[in-house]
Amino acid sequence: MSESNIKDVVREKYAEAARRAKSGQHSCGCGTSGASSECDPITSNLYAADQVAGLPEEAVTASLGCGNPTALASLEPGETVLDLGSGGGIDVLLSARRVGPQGKAYGLDMTDEMLALARENQRKSGIENAEFLKGEMENMPLPEGAVDVIVSNCVVNLSADKDRVFQEAFRVLRPGGRLAISDVVFRGPVPAEIRRNVELWVGCVAGALEESEYREKLSAAGFDAIEIEPTRVYRIDDARQFLTAKGIDVDAIAPLVEGKVMSAFVRARKPGTRA
């Protein structure tokens, strides 16, 4: 599929997820939908109750991530944070709390329904040091050196042009700025059937990079101090869950992805010294 077609599919799936969250239903599986008991293992149980206390329920139910980057990132009071693919706003609101009133948290999303939901969640939460921007990761609507930290939660793998995403991330970070994102990463080769399936692309699996390729692309964009830390490695039973109903022979494919799909926390730094 072309890059524009992938974006159209992703946009519609995330618009659907926003509508479900507003109606009180859980959205899960990085774009799939279903009752909370049916959520896939990639997106389940990411936030502790005390972390999301005081946030609107819609911000929690709209979360489609694969990790909790705000818990792993070393955010400091007064910093400016950008969340790529901010969805219902949960990571932006959590970041805004962490950086305090002297800091700022931006959310970037291309889906109107998610932006409307995020802004409503911000209003309900009473958090003032957050702002949600419409745009795409490949063309971030911020000036050069505008932010200290970029976070993202299982969204970079949805882009068909990850080189451009990393170049833009490098541009908008200040010298010494940090990239701190949760993403799905492959370890070793995976069957072509997975990469060809657009539903799995929307589900944060087919668009994932192999670990060494992830490092190479970040380095090519200019980043150093690159670390990829597994936060969960998926087993055969996990693979059966997120391959079921995707038109794939689960019995044939599941053993081939055993231990090769993981959620990971990706850290990198833009060289230089903060002013």
Side-chain angles (χ1 to χ4, degrees):
M1 294 187 72
S2 69
E3 181 178 349
S4 61
N5 286 341
I6 289 171
K7 283 186 178 179
D8 287 342
V9 173
V10 171
R11 185 181 288 110
E12 177 51 37
K13 284 291 185 177
Y14 278 73
E16 177 188 348
R19 291 190 289 266
R20 292 180 63 86
K22 288 195 71 172
S23 68
Q25 301 177 69
H26 283 262
S27 295
C28 51
C30 291
T32 62
S33 341
S36 58
S37 62
E38 299 169 350
C39 288
D40 77 27
I42 290 178
T43 59
S44 301
N45 304 317
L46 302 178
Y47 299 92
D50 60 338
Q51 289 178 307
V52 297
L55 294 185
E57 178 66 18
E58 293 85 351
V60 180
T61 58
S63 175
L64 302 171
C66 60
N68 186 347
T70 60
L72 297 171
S74 300
L75 302 182
E76 300 176 6
E79 288 189 316
T80 300
V81 183
L82 169 64
D83 178 22
L84 304 180
S86 49
I90 185 169
D91 292 315
V92 176
L93 300 179
L94 291 174
S95 295
R97 283 178 173 177
R98 295 272 301 278
V99 300
Q102 301 304 313
K104 181 71 175 282
Y106 290 103
L108 176 65
D109 207 282
M110 67 177 183
T111 306
D112 289 328
E113 290 84 350
M114 277 296 190
L115 287 166
L117 177 61
R119 289 166 180 153
E120 177 63 13
N121 288 333
Q122 180 186 359
R123 185 192 67 78
K124 290 178 180 178
S125 70
I127 293 174
E128 297 182 354
N129 61 325
E131 182 178 350
F132 293 93
L133 309 172
K134 183 174 182 179
E136 299 178 352
M137 296 181 290
E138 298 84 359
N139 293 285
M140 301 178 193
L142 286 171
E144 181 177 346
V147 302
D148 299 295
V149 185
I150 290 177
V151 301
S152 185
N153 200 344
C154 208
V155 174
V156 171
N157 56 67
L158 297 177
S159 174
D161 190 353
K162 297 174 182 63
D163 290 316
R164 177 68 179 173
V165 173
F166 295 143
Q167 291 163 8
E168 278 289 274
F170 190 87
R171 180 185 67 82
V172 302
L173 279 170
R174 296 179 179 129
R178 291 111 60 205
L179 188 73
I181 66 177
S182 293
D183 217 348
V184 172
V185 180
F186 285 130
R187 279 186 158 172
V190 295
E193 293 93 321
I194 289 182
R195 292 193 179 275
R196 284 200 299 262
N197 191 297
V198 71
E199 285 295 327
L200 285 178
W201 196 303
V202 178
C204 305
V205 176
L209 294 174
E210 199 277 327
E211 185 175 4
S212 62
E213 188 180 12
Y214 215 121
R215 292 179 182 275
E216 290 168 2
K217 289 182 179 296
L218 286 170
S219 180
F223 288 99
D224 64 13
I226 299 166
E227 299 178 16
I228 299 179
E229 175 188 348
T231 53
R232 182 174 179 185
V233 178
Y234 303 103
R235 317 298 349 161
I236 286 178
D237 287 343
D238 297 321
R240 286 182 181 279
Q241 285 183 267
F242 63 67
L243 293 174
T244 297
K246 301 298 184 180
I248 291 177
D249 185 342
V250 177
D251 288 332
I253 294 296
L256 300 179
V257 298
E258 167 73 17
K260 290 185 177 180
V261 183
M262 66 180 181
S263 290
F265 185 54
V266 181
R267 296 180 179 90
R269 186 181 70 92
K270 180 174 180 176
T273 304
R274 293 174 59 181

